[in-house]
Amino acid sequence: MKNVLFIAAFFILTASSQAQEGVTVKGNTITMKEVGPVWPGCEKSELSDDDCFNKQLAKHIKSNFKYPKDANGQIVRGRSVITFYIDENGKVCKVSAEGPQKLVNQEAVRITKLFPVMKPGHRGGKKIEVKYKMPFNF
């Protein structure tokens, strides 16, 4: 009888210790909730994390952007599509830019590399790297 109680207690304790935050199991389907990175200061914001992230991103770009100038001193305008990742430590990495204007691409990459360290994204309670792709119009 003691062995049965011990085995039952063992299974109950191990089953509950392996439960992960954001993971649900329904029948044969396992669903893992993915939560994106959180911009510093958005943890206590009244806005949703996504809305606060977008607002802080726009504010960051507006305060750090400098129109690039060509060899003649003329302002260069254009569009650049930036791809970057927020890694498991909340840091920006793997930044790249696509667009016809090299100077605009370089400026978009420079601004992106200035993003602050964030609270990293997670899936199923584990920190993950999150990919972003977004256009910059200058």
Side-chain angles (χ1 to χ4, degrees):
M1 184 67 172
K2 288 182 184 179
N3 287 342
V4 172
L5 289 175
F6 175 75
I7 292 171
F10 176 77
F11 282 115
I12 290 170
L13 291 174
T14 57
S16 64
S17 67
Q18 292 183 14
Q20 295 178 348
E21 181 184 333
V23 177
T24 56
V25 179
K26 192 179 269 188
N28 291 336
T29 305
I30 298 174
T31 305
M32 296 179 113
K33 181 179 178 187
E34 185 172 300
V35 178
V38 178
W39 197 280
C42 288
E43 300 91 346
K44 299 173 186 167
S45 173
E46 295 174 5
L47 300 172
S48 71
D49 288 343
D50 289 340
D51 289 341
C52 186
F53 183 95
N54 291 334
K55 183 177 179 180
Q56 293 299 328
L57 177 67
K59 183 178 174 182
H60 173 82
I61 292 169
K62 187 175 183 179
S63 65
N64 289 291
F65 179 73
K66 297 175 185 161
Y67 277 102
K69 295 183 179 180
D70 63 14
N72 298 326
Q74 299 295 316
I75 291 176
V76 179
R77 297 179 188 269
R79 176 184 166 100
S80 182
V81 177
I82 295 291
T83 302
F84 64 95
Y85 293 78
I86 306 293
D87 69 13
E88 296 88 352
N89 298 313
K91 296 178 182 177
V92 174
C93 62
K94 302 178 190 174
V95 182
S96 64
E98 298 173 32
Q101 298 289 339
K102 183 178 179 180
L103 293 173
V104 172
N105 292 340
Q106 289 172 342
E107 181 61 11
V109 167
R110 185 189 71 80
I111 292 171
T112 304
K113 287 182 177 181
L114 292 176
F115 289 176
V117 175
M118 301 176 206
K119 180 180 174 186
H122 58 89
R123 182 185 316 121
K126 295 184 180 184
K127 294 178 183 179
I128 58 168
E129 183 176 78
V130 179
K131 179 181 179 179
Y132 287 90
K133 188 170 188 173
M134 55 195 232
F136 278 70
N137 292 307
F138 304 114

